[in-house]
Amino acid sequence: MWVSTKAQYGLRALIEIARRGGEAVPLKDVSERQGISQHYLEQIASNLRRAGFIKSIRGAHGGYRLARPAHEINAYDVVTAMEGSIAPVQCVEDDHVCDSQNVCGTQDLWYRVDTALRDVLGSTTLADLIEESDRQQHARLVQLEPHYPPLG
């Protein structure tokens, strides 16, 4: 399973937009903070808007904001909106009928991989990703603090 940069950047852009708490976020800001080409980000934002994750706000203070709360958007929906199917092999595609299922011997393995992937991505929301990121940032900051011996 290989997740494209489009899906990775889509999630990163959504997290960046979600962090602004409903304020319209210009793509230029997202591009600069995330180190993503603004041109590529415009294509990604178009896909995210069509999929119903963000909405555009026009005007002097325009940009993008989430179309629904961060806790209602999960990684599975974003990745599949950007990628299409994420099945690890064709035989576990929802609409695929496998001609070799009686002789293959690996189909159950691929179904377990597919189920695990869907479960992890489906149970992870943007709010979860923001919280995890904040915890990691806090841990890095704590490591940077000097440790002095106790006085006295």
Side-chain angles (χ1 to χ4, degrees):
M1 168 73 213
W2 185 265
V3 177
S4 71
T5 55
K6 185 165 60 169
Q8 293 174 52
Y9 290 174
L11 278 168
R12 287 171 50 187
L14 287 172
I15 289 168
E16 193 65 40
I17 293 167
R19 285 182 182 278
R20 300 288 186 94
E23 161 189 340
V25 182
L27 284 184
K28 181 178 184 232
D29 292 0
V30 176
S31 171
E32 289 172 358
R33 287 206 23 96
Q34 291 295 319
I36 302 170
S37 151
Q38 188 169 343
H39 177 71
Y40 191 34
L41 194 55
E42 288 168 0
Q43 296 170 21
I44 290 168
S46 178
N47 289 347
L48 293 171
R49 188 181 46 74
R50 276 194 305 274
F53 297 116
I54 58 175
K55 55 184 167 182
S56 60
I57 309 301
R58 299 186 187 275
H61 300 286
Y64 289 91
R65 69 173 173 219
L66 293 183
R68 8 187 246 265
H71 68 274
E72 292 181 10
I73 299 173
N74 68 54
Y76 176 80
D77 291 340
V78 176
V79 171
T80 57
M82 302 303 285
E83 300 263 342
S85 172
I86 60 164
V89 293
Q90 188 177 17
C91 68
V92 298
E93 290 278 344
D94 291 333
D95 60 350
H96 182 76
V97 177
C98 182
D99 297 332
S100 303
Q101 70 184 21
N102 294 329
V103 295
C104 172
T106 63
Q107 190 175 27
D108 286 343
L109 167 68
W110 300 125
Y111 274 115
R112 289 193 311 269
V113 169
D114 186 57
T115 299
L117 194 55
R118 289 172 188 254
D119 288 348
V120 169
L121 292 174
S123 66
T124 306
T125 67
L126 287 182
D128 297 331
L129 293 171
I130 292 167
E131 185 179 318
E132 289 172 14
S133 174
D134 290 348
R135 265 197 317 269
Q136 290 172 355
Q137 181 65 22
H138 178 73
R140 282 191 291 271
L141 291 174
V142 168
Q143 288 177 353
L144 294 175
E145 291 179 3
H147 294 279
Y148 297 107
L151 296 176

